[in-house]
Amino acid sequence: MNTKDIYEMRTVVAAVFLGIFSIFVLKALTSFEIIPGVSYVYNLQGPSIAPNMITVILFDWRGYDTLGEAFILITAVFTTGILFGRGVLGGDVKVRDTAATRQPSVVQKVFAAPLVFIIVAFGIVITLGGHITPGGGFQGGSVIATAFFLSVVVFGLRKNVFSLSHRSLETFEGVGALIYLCLGLAGLGLSGYYLYNVGADFYPGLGVAQWAVNLLSYPDATNAGIIPYLNIGIALKVLSGFCTIITVLMGAEKK
Amino acid sequence: MNSELIPLMVVFPLISAILLNLMHGKDRAVRVYGTLAMVVVIAVPLLAVYGNHLFGAHPAIDTPAETGIALGRINLAIEYSFGFLQRALIFLLAAIATFAVLSHTSNEKRASGVYLSMVMLSIAAVSAVVMANDIFNMFVFLEILTISQAAMVVAKGDIGGYKAALKYLIFGGVAGGAILLGIALLLGTFGVLNITDLGNALSGNTKSPIVLTAVGLLVIGWLFESGLFPFHTIKSHIYSSAKADVAALLQTETKIVLVAIAIILLRLFGGLSNMSAVMVGLSVITLAFGSVMALVQTDFRRLLAFAAVGQAGLVGIGLSLGTPDGIAASIFHAVNDALAMSLLFVTVFVIYEGAKTTEFSRLGGLLTKAPRLAFLQIIGIMAVSGVPPFNAYQSEYRLIGAAFQAGYPELGVVIILGTIVTFVALMKGFFLTFLKESTAVAAIGRPQLSNALPLVTFATMVILALVCLGIGLHPGPLYDRFADVAITLTMGV
């Protein structure tokens, strides 16, 4: 029996086991009864903060998980950078960006430029209204990033509508993440609990100073507190994260 | 009691990671900040007060009937708990990570901010997994851990590292998915994510198909994160593809995460004897495969990588037994082995730095060139293989005792056999590197290996050797505290 046969046999064995496992999981799922659980409490108390329940759960009760999710994305973006030579031990590897400029056709030029502005405006609306209407930082950031993609695909890396350098994208990403982390630290410093929603001041017994509550309370009819600010931080981070990845990939395209 | 320093153990490394990435390219700033940040990372776990931290300050409430949760009170917030075990593990991690950072800032011509930010992210992730009393939060930080570990291997910049990291991420994706599905099943059935609450809701309810499926899925995740069978090959591949300081850090992180997740599994499903049997079986297979594979390697780095994986199996055995003695001995062994293995990884990579190879066919007769290194390596080998008076002797002896007490004398025999095989494999490596005079090496000329070691590296090796000796001579202070932790853990089971 040669090596190829062994590999084939291994695949067959793996497939059989996967099949058995899948049947077992499906069988178990037939007896899966879902209870409302802790999300019932979230939904009960949530409307006193802001109307969009998903944002309230993501950024208030599970705000710290969301911070972790954001850092998964940050780690992935950094790793993409390392894959293409940024930060490799022994000095950075420079990638030539021959795809820097492109000559768009007239149709592309006429349609792309206004469309980019419309998409950016739409993304900003989604972000800022994230606590009221469906949306939020992740969604808004991704939408704005698609405008960047469009602009880069049509006009090339160097002379596009945004003309953001790699460096400024990194700064944006850092600022976005730091907004989130520092709002958490503000909660820790003022109330003793990390990511406490200082602006909403849900538990007045913690003795948060009134000036801090006023400072971090988002000025609209809801009682969302720091949630819109967290949304802005996440949007900056997601947008610049995606843009960094596309910049790196476009730059490496014709190496 | 609410300690305000608890979240800083995760948040400070995260902030540092962002700042170091922004500083990348400014050599001096990266070096200075990286070093200063490690001081804080070491200090925080020592200063923090034992207790719990509730994120967002949401308190526990009486359960409304509409939730369907079968508990009187539930926690609303994500919770971290910090006790002696957490302090010991996070301090160990911080110490080994400090060595990795110092070795980078002192030995590299250009300090890489991105690479140091990956080290910081992995510190944050492991600290979070160790402290998390919330099963979803554990999953989130495990994902960060997997990606940052792969990135540290990629940062070496050679094709072997790329391959290993890609494979690691593919397996990591599968394992991450398994953990997430397991958590989803538990959340849907019992309605809570807090591990204490979930453990209470689960007690006496562990036989339903949903729970058994969730156990299976979570155990798959545990096996991957700990590098146990069937993931031992990919884990050893990762170790041998990384740089010295990174490999030492990676294997420390792996052992800490192994302990942390196993304890979570025991707290959730402690009454389930099937799970314990499966975990013991897979740990034994890992020990056997790791040790035997180490024996047949022709490259010192690969040998060491497999030996490290085999030792993880040893840690897994005691934890899987689920008895207080077994758990205490396993945690103790995880700490001891992380220290001793780090020492060995550093010595082998000093050889690699000097000789540019660790293949046995091209090494030999280095004893006269680097006697200090040989001495430190033999200490490391004795410490790893449980030779008195070093630390792993104390923990392996207790592990064997725990196996006998739990009614499995066969396991004691397996542990002894595994230890002997590891010792033989490591001594083989030592012999072929330092003692044997081969004609092939004489023909191509002996590798250049200077006896003068970089200061940071030498100091680290000496400190690690002294700590191994110190714990070996006075195991009491550390072991007794671990025994207390284990008794508290098993009381609820």
Side-chain angles (χ1 to χ4, degrees):
Chain A
M1 191 186 282
N2 58 30
T3 326
K4 204 180 152 208
D5 289 343
I6 293 176
Y7 277 129
E8 275 176 8
M9 242 176 68
R10 200 170 64 170
T11 317
V12 172
V13 171
V16 168
F17 272 104
L18 189 65
I20 295 172
F21 185 69
S22 311
I23 291 169
F24 188 71
V25 172
L26 284 176
K27 180 81 178 58
L29 285 176
T30 54
S31 65
F32 189 27
E33 287 168 17
I34 300 176
I35 61 167
V38 72
S39 74
Y40 175 82
V41 184
Y42 294 163
N43 281 298
L44 199 66
Q45 299 184 356
S48 61
I49 300 177
N52 183 1
M53 239 359 69
I54 296 174
T55 304
V56 171
I57 292 175
L58 275 184
F59 288 95
D60 196 304
W61 278 283
R62 311 296 300 184
Y64 185 63
D65 280 346
T66 308
L67 175 66
E69 296 289 355
F71 267 89
I72 295 180
L73 190 60
I74 291 182
T75 319
V77 172
F78 289 178
T79 309
T80 314
I82 295 178
L83 272 174
F84 288 93
R86 180 177 180 270
V88 171
L89 303 180
D92 290 8
V93 181
K94 285 275 182 289
V95 179
R96 287 181 298 133
D97 49 348
T98 45
T101 48
R102 287 178 178 216
Q103 277 306 320
S105 73
V106 177
V107 178
Q108 285 174 333
K109 242 194 276 188
V110 168
F111 279 95
L115 195 56
V116 163
F117 287 107
I118 294 171
I119 295 176
V120 170
F122 181 51
I124 293 173
V125 170
I126 290 180
T127 307
L128 293 182
H131 58 297
I132 303 167
T133 54
F138 279 105
Q139 296 85 334
S142 327
V143 167
I144 300 175
T146 57
F148 183 78
F149 293 1
L150 179 68
S151 153
V152 167
V153 167
V154 172
F155 299 102
L157 259 184
R158 195 165 291 154
K159 282 193 171 173
N160 64 52
V161 182
F162 290 84
S163 75
L164 290 170
S165 71
H166 196 138
R167 188 84 210 165
S168 52
L169 283 174
E170 270 159 27
T171 315
F172 275 160
E173 183 167 36
V175 168
L178 286 176
I179 288 177
Y180 206 119
L181 288 163
C182 292
L183 281 170
L185 282 181
L188 188 68
L190 292 163
S191 74
Y193 295 93
Y194 193 75
L195 271 174
Y196 177 61
N197 194 338
V198 176
D201 204 18
F202 220 47
Y203 306 107
L206 295 172
V208 178
Q210 193 57 42
W211 60 265
V213 177
N214 295 339
L215 183 69
L216 289 175
S217 170
Y218 191 66
D220 71 356
T222 64
N223 187 23
I226 59 170
I227 291 177
Y229 300 119
L230 295 178
N231 263 328
I232 294 170
I234 288 285
L236 262 180
K237 199 208 66 58
V238 169
L239 139 79
S240 46
F242 282 147
C243 294
T244 311
I245 291 180
I246 194 87
T247 312
V248 170
L249 291 181
M250 287 289 285
E253 186 190 41
K254 289 188 182 170
K255 191 183 173 185
Chain B
M1 177 142 166
N2 180 52
S3 170
E4 297 180 3
L5 290 179
I6 291 174
L8 286 186
M9 278 177 259
V10 178
V11 172
F12 180 76
L14 291 181
I15 294 176
S16 301
I18 296 291
L19 293 179
L20 281 166
N21 182 58
L22 286 177
M23 286 175 199
H24 178 70
K26 297 184 182 62
D27 201 49
R28 202 177 160 77
V30 170
R31 281 174 208 274
V32 172
Y33 184 80
T35 316
L36 289 180
M38 288 320 294
V39 176
V40 180
V41 168
I42 286 194
V44 175
L46 294 179
L47 295 175
V49 182
Y50 295 152
N52 293 339
H53 189 88
L54 300 171
F55 286 89
H58 299 290
I61 57 159
D62 290 330
T63 319
E66 292 87 346
T67 57
I69 301 171
L71 291 171
R73 280 180 81 74
I74 51 166
N75 281 295
L76 284 186
I78 298 168
E79 191 186 13
Y80 272 7
S81 44
F82 182 71
F84 176 74
L85 176 65
Q86 283 77 12
R87 176 179 282 176
L89 293 181
I90 294 174
F91 179 74
L92 170 71
L93 171 74
I96 303 287
T98 305
F99 156 65
V101 170
L102 286 182
S103 137
H104 177 76
T105 49
S106 64
N107 294 352
E108 291 283 330
K109 281 198 197 83
R110 292 185 63 81
S112 164
V114 185
Y115 164 79
L116 289 185
S117 98
M118 284 299 155
V119 175
M120 288 292 174
L121 283 169
S122 74
I123 296 172
V126 175
S127 308
V129 172
V130 167
M131 290 189 292
N133 196 19
D134 187 286
I135 196 161
F136 186 74
N137 197 259
M138 174 201 82
F139 161 77
V140 169
F141 280 96
L142 279 179
E143 291 295 293
I144 298 179
L145 179 64
T146 309
I147 305 176
S148 59
Q149 286 183 333
M152 285 192 276
V153 176
V154 170
K156 200 178 147 215
D158 65 358
I159 194 79
Y162 277 51
K163 273 186 192 166
L166 180 65
K167 278 190 210 161
Y168 188 66
L169 280 179
I170 291 173
F171 278 106
V174 175
I179 299 177
L180 190 57
L181 186 54
I183 294 172
L185 292 177
L186 290 177
L187 174 64
T189 313
F190 298 100
V192 284
L193 286 167
N194 185 288
I195 292 171
T196 313
D197 290 348
L198 199 52
N200 291 337
L202 269 164
S203 60
N205 194 2
T206 45
K207 296 287 176 198
S208 79
I210 285 290
V211 173
L212 290 177
T213 312
V215 172
L217 291 166
L218 290 176
V219 168
I220 290 176
W222 177 66
L223 294 175
F224 170 77
E225 300 295 345
S226 324
L228 298 178
F229 179 85
F231 299 104
H232 59 293
T233 325
I234 180 65
K235 207 68 169 184
S236 62
H237 198 172
I238 277 281
Y239 292 161
S240 56
S241 309
K243 276 185 62 118
D245 35 9
V246 175
L249 181 62
L250 288 181
Q251 64 92 20
T252 308
E253 289 176 345
T254 305
K255 297 223 164 70
I256 293 175
V257 168
L258 188 165
V259 170
I261 303 182
I263 286 177
I264 290 174
L265 287 175
L266 286 173
R267 285 174 62 194
L268 290 179
F269 314 106
L272 204 62
S273 57
N274 294 350
M275 182 187 77
S276 177
V278 169
M279 280 163 69
V280 169
L282 290 169
S283 302
V284 167
I285 296 177
T286 311
L287 174 62
F289 274 30
S291 315
V292 174
M293 290 291 278
L295 203 55
V296 298
Q297 297 304 316
T298 55
D299 184 297
F300 211 157
R301 282 183 299 169
R302 291 193 149 263
L303 189 160
L304 208 52
F306 274 107
V309 168
Q311 292 295 310
L314 204 51
V315 178
I317 291 176
L319 282 165
S320 316
L321 283 175
T323 60
D325 287 346
I327 295 172
S330 269
I331 299 173
F332 192 36
H333 188 65
V335 172
N336 290 339
D337 190 60
L339 289 166
M341 269 292 169
S342 299
L343 171 58
L344 270 187
F345 269 107
V346 178
T347 57
V348 168
F349 280 82
V350 170
I351 298 173
Y352 181 73
E353 293 284 313
K356 301 290 170 225
T357 180
T358 46
E359 277 176 39
F360 293 135
S361 58
R362 295 173 60 194
L363 293 172
L366 290 175
L367 186 63
T368 49
K369 287 203 169 184
R372 285 200 294 186
L373 186 66
F375 179 69
L376 287 164
Q377 185 167 72
I378 204 83
I379 288 181
I381 290 174
M382 289 201 289
V384 167
S385 351
V387 176
F390 293 101
N391 53 358
Y393 157 72
Q394 297 286 358
S395 49
E396 280 178 12
Y397 159 77
R398 284 175 170 82
L399 262 179
I400 296 167
F404 273 93
Q405 269 195 346
Y408 300 106
E410 310 88 327
L411 275 183
V413 177
V414 170
I415 295 172
I416 294 171
L417 283 177
T419 313
I420 293 173
V421 175
T422 309
F423 183 63
V424 172
L426 292 173
M427 280 312 286
K428 176 191 137 187
F430 182 79
F431 172 74
L432 292 176
T433 311
F434 285 101
L435 301 177
K436 190 176 143 233
E437 289 282 2
S438 75
T439 46
V441 173
I444 54 173
R446 266 194 210 161
Q448 290 301 313
L449 190 66
S450 149
N451 198 32
L453 300 161
L455 180 67
V456 172
T457 314
F458 183 65
T460 311
M461 288 195 286
V462 171
I463 291 171
L464 282 173
L466 287 177
V467 171
C468 286
L469 186 64
I471 297 180
L473 292 175
H474 293 285
L478 204 54
Y479 179 75
D480 293 347
R481 306 287 286 278
F482 287 143
D484 293 344
V485 171
I487 289 169
T488 327
L489 268 176
T490 44
M491 277 215 287
V493 174

